[in-house]
Amino acid sequence: MVSEVNLKLKEKQQGRVLENRGRLLVKCPDKPGIVSVLSTFLHNHSSNIIESSQYSSDPENGTFFIRIEFHCENLLEKRAQLEADFAEIAANHSMDYHFAYSNERIRSAIYVSKEPHCLMELLWEWQNGDLDTDIVVVISNHEEARPLVESLGIPFHYIPANKEIRKQVEAEQIRLMEEYNVDLLILARYMQILTPDFVRHFENRIINIHHSFLPAFIGAGPYERAFERGVKLIGATSHYVTNDLDEGPIIEQDVERVDHRNDVIDLKKIGRQIERRVLAKAVKWHLENRIIVEGNKTIVFH
């Protein structure tokens, strides 16, 4: 009984902490005093900086990037005024900026085809509380994942897809994303090409995962061809989706060494392990507002 009371008290305290925690991401021309301007602004609004990471592309006429996490009592009541006051500072310093609040949970949709390993990793992280999002729907062009998804109480929608009916399929997918009020789309080995119209609806809000043999071994059977070539490194890349196929801003990559003892089955197994952890990291960093997209690159504050 005591432990239950303590747990409820702890959850209530954590809820108050989240309500009072915000994040500020800024991109602007670099010049002396930017950090001072930002810290002074937060200080003047009774906010305590608890984490800060910054980067300059060039100390002379470069671009400055910063992520600040801060605590402010009664933030929910103050946020409108906070943002209104910051708008003037942003205009004076040519800042692109974004405020995010820890109590606002991002609503995610997962797209999957036949291979379930990335989907299962995301669901495991979500069940553990390590993936701070609401997974509101799973979309698939195959039925294999339905029992797993529905056992967790998550809606599952089977939408057959091929290039002949791609427009109709994407129209239905966009409708579902609007119905479920989705903020983030995660392609967990969803083996379909997305059209420019679909991507345009969700700019910098679609995260994909694929093997890291690219640009080598493009197309079908990459592991078979990598085995024949005798590769010594295999890996995975997670990136935002753009209209340039598999060439969007990279969020995370990882590799593992292999050798002549590893056959095609081994390579695929190792590849799946890498894909799982790389995608999970990329999604977490997006959810924690640790990424600023700059052209076709990303600034990631770990």
XYZ file of all heavy atoms in Angstrom, residues 68-140:
602
model
N 18.362 24.702 -25.999
C 18.326 24.986 -24.569
C 17.109 24.306 -23.954
O 15.997 24.462 -24.454
C 18.265 26.507 -24.297
C 19.482 27.220 -24.873
C 18.143 26.775 -22.799
C 19.425 28.730 -24.761
N 17.339 23.570 -22.884
C 16.234 23.019 -22.110
C 16.171 23.798 -20.803
O 17.198 24.027 -20.153
C 16.452 21.526 -21.853
C 15.231 20.834 -21.279
C 15.262 19.317 -21.483
O 16.116 18.836 -22.261
O 14.424 18.640 -20.864
N 14.977 24.223 -20.422
C 14.855 25.100 -19.266
C 13.654 24.730 -18.401
O 12.707 24.075 -18.854
C 14.751 26.565 -19.705
C 13.542 26.872 -20.563
C 12.350 27.312 -19.998
C 13.604 26.731 -21.941
C 11.245 27.591 -20.781
C 12.496 27.012 -22.749
C 11.314 27.439 -22.164
N 13.727 25.156 -17.145
C 12.641 24.959 -16.194
C 12.071 26.317 -15.819
O 12.815 27.256 -15.532
C 13.148 24.259 -14.927
C 12.100 24.090 -13.868
N 11.310 22.979 -13.772
C 11.715 24.917 -12.855
C 10.479 23.105 -12.749
N 10.702 24.279 -12.171
N 10.734 26.405 -15.839
C 10.063 27.653 -15.495
C 8.781 27.318 -14.739
O 7.910 26.617 -15.272
C 9.752 28.451 -16.760
S 8.877 30.003 -16.459
N 8.666 27.801 -13.524
C 7.456 27.543 -12.736
C 6.228 28.134 -13.444
O 6.279 29.244 -13.983
C 7.590 28.156 -11.341
C 8.538 27.406 -10.418
C 8.073 25.988 -10.105
O 6.836 25.783 -9.970
O 8.932 25.091 -10.020
N 5.146 27.355 -13.444
C 3.891 27.774 -14.085
C 4.081 28.087 -15.569
O 3.515 29.050 -16.104
C 3.296 28.992 -13.363
C 3.023 28.718 -11.892
O 2.475 27.673 -11.539
N 3.425 29.640 -11.039
N 4.890 27.267 -16.231
C 5.217 27.503 -17.640
C 3.973 27.493 -18.530
O 3.879 28.276 -19.474
C 6.229 26.452 -18.124
C 6.660 26.543 -19.593
C 7.293 27.904 -19.885
C 7.642 25.427 -19.932
N 3.042 26.610 -18.233
C 1.841 26.523 -19.076
C 1.084 27.849 -19.095
O 0.505 28.234 -20.116
C 0.930 25.397 -18.593
C 1.508 23.985 -18.671
C 0.468 22.956 -18.237
C 2.001 23.659 -20.078
N 1.096 28.555 -17.969
C 0.414 29.845 -17.894
C 1.243 30.954 -18.548
O 0.692 31.938 -19.056
C 0.145 30.215 -16.436
C -0.742 29.217 -15.700
C -0.812 29.510 -14.212
O -0.395 30.625 -13.806
O -1.272 28.627 -13.453
N 2.559 30.792 -18.545
C 3.450 31.851 -19.018
C 3.855 31.706 -20.484
O 4.417 32.644 -21.069
C 4.725 31.881 -18.166
C 4.501 32.191 -16.695
C 5.823 32.111 -15.934
C 5.666 32.407 -14.453
N 6.951 32.261 -13.725
N 3.617 30.551 -21.087
C 4.209 30.254 -22.393
C 3.790 31.243 -23.485
O 4.611 31.613 -24.327
C 3.899 28.824 -22.826
C 2.431 28.467 -22.861
C 2.203 27.022 -23.262
N 2.393 26.848 -24.696
C 2.154 25.691 -25.336
N 1.784 24.624 -24.648
N 2.327 25.613 -26.630
N 2.531 31.671 -23.493
C 2.077 32.603 -24.526
C 2.844 33.917 -24.450
O 3.305 34.449 -25.479
C 0.579 32.842 -24.398
N 3.006 34.430 -23.238
C 3.751 35.677 -23.063
C 5.224 35.477 -23.373
O 5.884 36.351 -23.964
C 3.588 36.192 -21.627
C 4.162 37.586 -21.404
C 3.475 38.642 -22.256
O 2.254 38.757 -22.225
N 4.246 39.396 -23.036
N 5.758 34.317 -22.975
C 7.159 33.994 -23.246
C 7.436 34.036 -24.744
O 8.406 34.661 -25.198
C 7.473 32.606 -22.681
C 8.928 32.148 -22.672
C 9.690 32.826 -21.541
C 9.009 30.636 -22.510
N 6.590 33.392 -25.518
C 6.783 33.349 -26.963
C 6.570 34.716 -27.600
O 7.284 35.090 -28.536
C 5.850 32.310 -27.577
C 6.185 30.880 -27.164
C 5.338 29.851 -27.886
O 4.876 30.138 -29.015
O 5.131 28.746 -27.344
N 5.602 35.460 -27.101
C 5.349 36.800 -27.645
C 6.548 37.718 -27.404
O 6.963 38.479 -28.292
C 4.089 37.385 -27.012
N 7.115 37.639 -26.201
C 8.276 38.476 -25.889
C 9.506 38.061 -26.694
O 10.332 38.909 -27.073
C 8.597 38.389 -24.393
C 7.523 39.036 -23.529
O 6.688 39.773 -24.087
O 7.515 38.776 -22.308
N 9.629 36.767 -26.962
C 10.817 36.290 -27.685
C 10.766 36.676 -29.165
O 11.812 36.817 -29.806
C 10.942 34.770 -27.558
C 12.258 34.245 -28.077
C 13.415 34.380 -27.333
C 12.343 33.647 -29.321
C 14.632 33.919 -27.806
C 13.549 33.178 -29.807
C 14.701 33.309 -29.047
N 9.577 36.867 -29.701
C 9.440 37.180 -31.129
C 10.217 38.434 -31.497
O 10.828 38.521 -32.575
C 7.961 37.338 -31.484
N 10.223 39.426 -30.614
C 10.963 40.663 -30.893
C 12.471 40.407 -30.921
O 13.182 40.922 -31.799
C 10.634 41.712 -29.831
C 11.304 43.061 -30.081
C 10.911 44.101 -29.062
O 9.985 43.842 -28.257
O 11.536 45.181 -29.062
N 12.963 39.613 -29.972
C 14.387 39.263 -29.948
C 14.764 38.497 -31.211
O 15.799 38.754 -31.838
C 14.712 38.427 -28.695
C 14.620 39.302 -27.455
C 16.088 37.771 -28.805
C 14.824 38.564 -26.162
N 13.916 37.554 -31.589
C 14.181 36.752 -32.789
C 14.267 37.636 -34.027
O 15.133 37.432 -34.889
C 13.089 35.701 -32.952
N 13.385 38.597 -34.134
C 13.401 39.493 -35.290
C 14.675 40.338 -35.318
O 15.278 40.540 -36.381
C 12.171 40.401 -35.256
N 15.115 40.777 -34.160
C 16.321 41.616 -34.084
C 17.592 40.861 -34.458
O 18.576 41.469 -34.893
C 16.473 42.189 -32.672
C 15.405 43.221 -32.346
O 14.815 43.810 -33.255
N 15.142 43.433 -31.059
N 17.576 39.540 -34.269
C 18.786 38.743 -34.524
C 18.607 37.735 -35.668
O 19.417 36.825 -35.816
C 19.194 38.009 -33.248
C 19.586 38.926 -32.125
N 20.854 39.467 -32.013
C 18.882 39.417 -31.078
C 20.907 40.238 -30.942
N 19.728 40.230 -30.360
N 17.568 37.912 -36.464
C 17.298 37.038 -37.628
C 17.290 35.569 -37.238
O 17.937 34.727 -37.880
C 18.339 37.285 -38.723
O 18.347 38.639 -39.115
N 16.569 35.245 -36.187
C 16.534 33.881 -35.654
C 15.377 33.074 -36.225
O 14.236 33.543 -36.271
C 16.386 33.909 -34.134
C 17.566 34.457 -33.380
S 17.234 34.481 -31.592
C 18.832 35.041 -30.970
N 15.684 31.856 -36.656
C 14.655 30.837 -36.824
C 14.611 30.086 -35.501
O 15.657 29.658 -34.992
C 15.015 29.870 -37.957
C 14.962 30.537 -39.323
O 14.178 31.482 -39.482
O 15.720 30.118 -40.208
N 13.433 29.902 -34.942
C 13.377 29.307 -33.605
C 12.129 28.457 -33.433
O 11.166 28.552 -34.203
C 13.410 30.399 -32.536
C 12.168 31.267 -32.501
C 11.131 30.992 -31.602
C 12.023 32.361 -33.356
C 9.983 31.784 -31.561
C 10.891 33.144 -33.321
C 9.870 32.863 -32.423
O 8.742 33.629 -32.398
N 12.182 27.639 -32.400
C 11.049 26.774 -32.087
C 11.008 26.504 -30.594
O 12.014 26.102 -29.997
C 11.175 25.440 -32.845
C 10.142 24.423 -32.466
N 8.800 24.592 -32.727
C 10.252 23.218 -31.830
C 8.131 23.545 -32.280
N 8.977 22.698 -31.730
N 9.866 26.759 -29.980
C 9.630 26.386 -28.593
C 8.912 25.049 -28.562
O 7.978 24.808 -29.344
C 8.763 27.424 -27.872
C 9.500 28.634 -27.399
C 9.548 29.790 -28.172
C 10.145 28.638 -26.167
C 10.220 30.918 -27.731
C 10.830 29.756 -25.715
C 10.874 30.900 -26.503
N 9.328 24.164 -27.655
C 8.640 22.890 -27.440
C 8.461 22.707 -25.942
O 9.247 23.229 -25.140
C 9.445 21.728 -28.031
N 7.439 21.937 -25.585
C 7.095 21.781 -24.177
C 6.963 20.302 -23.846
O 6.307 19.546 -24.571
C 5.798 22.536 -23.870
C 5.906 23.998 -24.233
C 5.483 24.456 -25.476
C 6.475 24.905 -23.353
C 5.616 25.792 -25.828
C 6.615 26.249 -23.693
C 6.182 26.682 -24.947
O 6.335 28.005 -25.293
N 7.597 19.895 -22.747
C 7.718 18.474 -22.422
C 6.384 17.807 -22.132
O 6.263 16.584 -22.242
C 8.657 18.288 -21.224
O 9.959 18.719 -21.552
N 5.391 18.585 -21.747
C 4.097 17.970 -21.441
C 3.288 17.676 -22.702
O 2.255 17.007 -22.642
C 3.280 18.879 -20.526
C 2.794 20.128 -21.238
O 3.595 20.858 -21.827
N 1.494 20.378 -21.191
N 3.736 18.183 -23.852
C 3.037 17.948 -25.120
C 3.633 16.718 -25.809
O 4.742 16.765 -26.329
C 3.159 19.170 -26.036
C 2.468 20.405 -25.489
C 2.614 21.609 -26.404
O 3.512 21.584 -27.277
O 1.855 22.566 -26.230
N 2.900 15.630 -25.800
C 3.406 14.388 -26.382
C 3.128 14.343 -27.881
O 2.003 14.594 -28.332
C 2.766 13.177 -25.694
C 3.285 12.950 -24.293
C 2.517 11.857 -23.583
N 2.688 10.552 -24.193
C 3.731 9.744 -23.965
N 4.692 10.138 -23.150
N 3.799 8.568 -24.537
N 4.171 14.029 -28.635
C 4.046 13.890 -30.081
C 3.251 12.622 -30.401
O 3.427 11.579 -29.779
C 5.438 13.847 -30.726
C 6.076 15.241 -30.666
C 5.377 13.353 -32.175
C 7.483 15.300 -31.187
N 2.373 12.726 -31.387
C 1.555 11.591 -31.829
C 2.217 10.973 -33.064
O 2.398 11.645 -34.082
C 0.128 12.045 -32.135
C -0.599 12.578 -30.893
C -1.913 13.247 -31.247
N -2.871 12.330 -31.861
C -3.672 11.508 -31.183
N -3.609 11.481 -29.850
N -4.524 10.721 -31.812
N 2.566 9.701 -32.963
C 3.345 9.032 -34.009
C 2.542 7.942 -34.714
O 1.726 7.259 -34.088
C 4.616 8.407 -33.421
O 5.459 9.395 -32.872
N 2.826 7.790 -35.999
C 2.307 6.673 -36.794
C 3.498 5.860 -37.278
O 4.517 6.427 -37.678
C 1.492 7.173 -37.986
N 3.379 4.546 -37.228
C 4.442 3.668 -37.725
C 3.960 2.983 -38.994
O 2.857 2.416 -39.025
C 4.848 2.622 -36.671
C 5.341 3.303 -35.392
C 5.932 1.698 -37.234
C 5.697 2.331 -34.275
N 4.794 3.014 -40.037
C 4.518 2.317 -41.288
C 5.454 1.114 -41.366
O 6.656 1.239 -41.112
C 4.770 3.241 -42.489
C 3.701 4.284 -42.715
C 3.354 5.209 -41.717
C 3.020 4.358 -43.927
C 2.377 6.165 -41.934
C 2.041 5.309 -44.155
C 1.725 6.213 -43.149
O 0.751 7.157 -43.368
N 4.914 -0.027 -41.740
C 5.714 -1.250 -41.775
C 5.235 -2.130 -42.924
O 4.065 -2.055 -43.327
C 5.618 -2.008 -40.424
C 4.194 -2.475 -40.158
C 6.599 -3.162 -40.353
N 6.141 -2.952 -43.452
C 5.755 -3.949 -44.464
C 5.831 -5.337 -43.836
O 5.164 -5.590 -42.844
C 6.629 -3.819 -45.709
O 6.311 -2.621 -46.405
N 6.670 -6.222 -44.357
C 6.701 -7.598 -43.830
C 7.684 -7.781 -42.683
O 7.454 -8.568 -41.776
C 7.056 -8.580 -44.953
C 5.903 -8.887 -45.899
C 6.293 -10.003 -46.849
C 5.114 -10.428 -47.709
N 5.473 -11.546 -48.625
N 8.831 -7.064 -42.736
C 9.864 -7.279 -41.721
C 9.503 -6.533 -40.436
O 9.392 -5.305 -40.447
C 11.217 -6.802 -42.248
C 11.703 -7.584 -43.457
C 13.074 -7.120 -43.900
O 14.069 -7.673 -43.390
O 13.151 -6.216 -44.739
N 9.334 -7.243 -39.303
C 8.809 -6.598 -38.092
C 9.862 -6.091 -37.111
O 9.499 -5.513 -36.083
C 8.014 -7.744 -37.444
C 8.837 -8.962 -37.772
C 9.425 -8.711 -39.154
N 11.161 -6.303 -37.370
C 12.153 -6.070 -36.327
C 12.200 -4.613 -35.843
O 12.321 -4.367 -34.645
C 13.551 -6.533 -36.785
C 14.028 -5.929 -38.060
N 13.565 -6.324 -39.291
C 14.943 -4.958 -38.313
C 14.172 -5.629 -40.238
N 15.006 -4.787 -39.665
N 12.108 -3.657 -36.752
C 12.144 -2.249 -36.334
C 10.850 -1.865 -35.618
O 10.881 -1.116 -34.629
C 12.373 -1.351 -37.540
S 14.063 -1.417 -38.185
N 9.735 -2.356 -36.108
C 8.460 -2.120 -35.432
C 8.501 -2.657 -34.011
O 8.103 -1.966 -33.051
C 7.326 -2.792 -36.204
C 5.966 -2.863 -35.495
C 5.378 -1.468 -35.314
C 5.006 -3.771 -36.260
N 8.997 -3.869 -33.834
C 9.049 -4.488 -32.507
C 9.965 -3.707 -31.569
O 9.660 -3.554 -30.379
C 9.504 -5.941 -32.631
C 8.508 -6.821 -33.365
S 9.078 -8.523 -33.595
C 8.980 -9.128 -31.906
N 11.070 -3.214 -32.077
C 11.981 -2.413 -31.243
C 11.292 -1.138 -30.757
O 11.391 -0.773 -29.574
C 13.239 -2.055 -32.039
C 14.273 -1.260 -31.268
C 15.031 -2.100 -30.253
O 14.975 -3.347 -30.329
O 15.697 -1.489 -29.385
N 10.585 -0.459 -31.656
C 9.892 0.767 -31.289
C 8.794 0.492 -30.265
O 8.628 1.257 -29.299
C 9.310 1.435 -32.531
C 10.320 1.961 -33.550
C 9.614 2.400 -34.825
C 11.129 3.113 -32.976
N 8.053 -0.591 -30.468
C 6.981 -0.933 -29.526
C 7.561 -1.298 -28.162
O 6.977 -0.978 -27.121
C 6.140 -2.077 -30.083
C 5.315 -1.750 -31.334
C 4.605 -2.994 -31.841
C 4.310 -0.631 -31.063
N 8.694 -1.987 -28.161
C 9.357 -2.348 -26.901
C 9.809 -1.094 -26.154
O 9.574 -0.951 -24.949
C 10.544 -3.267 -27.197
C 11.423 -3.553 -26.017
C 12.694 -3.102 -25.815
C 11.114 -4.351 -24.874
N 13.191 -3.559 -24.630
C 12.248 -4.335 -24.020
C 9.988 -5.081 -24.487
C 12.282 -5.011 -22.807
C 10.023 -5.759 -23.268
C 11.159 -5.720 -22.450
N 10.443 -0.180 -26.858
C 10.887 1.073 -26.241
C 9.686 1.871 -25.719
O 9.739 2.485 -24.648
C 11.672 1.909 -27.254
C 12.981 1.290 -27.717
C 14.121 1.567 -26.752
O 13.904 2.298 -25.765
O 15.228 1.057 -26.985
N 8.619 1.871 -26.494
C 7.398 2.587 -26.106
C 6.771 1.982 -24.854
O 6.380 2.697 -23.926
C 6.428 2.560 -27.284
C 5.055 3.076 -27.011
C 4.697 4.379 -26.821
C 3.852 2.297 -26.924
N 3.338 4.472 -26.614
C 2.791 3.204 -26.675
C 3.573 0.939 -27.043
C 1.473 2.785 -26.530
C 2.263 0.518 -26.904
C 1.228 1.423 -26.649
N 6.695 0.651 -24.799
C 6.140 -0.023 -23.627
C 6.973 0.255 -22.380
O 6.440 0.361 -21.271
C 6.064 -1.534 -23.868
C 4.940 -1.967 -24.794
C 4.914 -3.467 -24.963
O 5.779 -4.055 -25.624
N 3.933 -4.108 -24.350
N 8.286 0.348 -22.548
C 9.188 0.613 -21.418
C 9.135 2.054 -20.939
O 9.717 2.391 -19.901
C 10.640 0.299 -21.816
C 10.939 -1.185 -21.727
O 10.170 -1.941 -21.141
N 12.040 -1.590 -22.319
N 8.493 2.922 -21.707
C 8.477 4.334 -21.357
C 9.691 5.083 -21.839
O 9.909 6.244 -21.469
N 10.520 4.434 -22.676
C 11.739 5.075 -23.174
C 11.533 5.798 -24.500
O 12.456 6.439 -25.012
C 12.849 4.030 -23.338
C 13.299 3.459 -22.000
O 13.243 4.202 -20.998
O 13.685 2.281 -21.952
N 10.352 5.669 -25.074
C 10.005 6.368 -26.310
C 8.846 7.298 -25.966
O 7.700 6.865 -25.851
C 9.608 5.367 -27.400
C 9.802 5.794 -28.851
C 11.272 6.068 -29.144
C 9.275 4.725 -29.797
N 9.155 8.568 -25.793
C 8.206 9.531 -25.245
C 7.262 10.025 -26.333
O 7.342 11.168 -26.798
C 8.965 10.692 -24.602
C 8.053 11.584 -23.786
O 6.962 11.127 -23.397
O 8.422 12.750 -23.545
N 6.350 9.160 -26.732
C 5.390 9.500 -27.780
C 4.135 8.660 -27.593
O 4.152 7.653 -26.866
C 5.988 9.247 -29.171
O 5.066 9.705 -30.180
C 6.255 7.772 -29.402
N 3.068 9.072 -28.233
C 1.869 8.246 -28.307
C 1.838 7.607 -29.691
O 1.731 8.317 -30.699
C 0.607 9.087 -28.088
C 0.499 9.618 -26.669
O 0.965 8.921 -25.755
O -0.035 10.731 -26.488
N 1.968 6.279 -29.747
C 1.857 5.576 -31.025
C 0.374 5.367 -31.268
O -0.272 4.519 -30.645
C 2.621 4.240 -30.998
C 4.112 4.494 -30.743
C 2.428 3.496 -32.328
C 4.940 3.230 -30.586
N -0.200 6.153 -32.183
C -1.657 6.203 -32.323
C -2.183 5.307 -33.433
O -3.382 5.005 -33.462
C -2.126 7.650 -32.547
C -1.836 8.497 -31.307
C -1.474 8.276 -33.774
N -1.307 4.859 -34.341
C -1.775 4.004 -35.434
C -0.567 3.349 -36.105
O 0.529 3.911 -36.124
C -2.590 4.812 -36.471
C -1.723 5.858 -37.169
C -3.271 3.903 -37.490
N -0.790 2.146 -36.636
C 0.206 1.460 -37.468
C -0.432 1.187 -38.823
O -1.552 0.679 -38.907
C 0.681 0.144 -36.823
C 1.573 -0.640 -37.798
C 1.447 0.431 -35.530
N 0.290 1.538 -39.881
C -0.159 1.359 -41.263
C 0.735 0.312 -41.917
O 1.952 0.350 -41.769
C -0.046 2.672 -42.064
C -0.747 3.821 -41.347
C -0.554 2.483 -43.485
C -2.235 3.753 -41.338
N 0.127 -0.629 -42.661
C 0.948 -1.644 -43.322
C 0.313 -2.065 -44.639
O -0.915 -2.059 -44.792
C 1.112 -2.873 -42.425
O 1.934 -3.835 -43.061
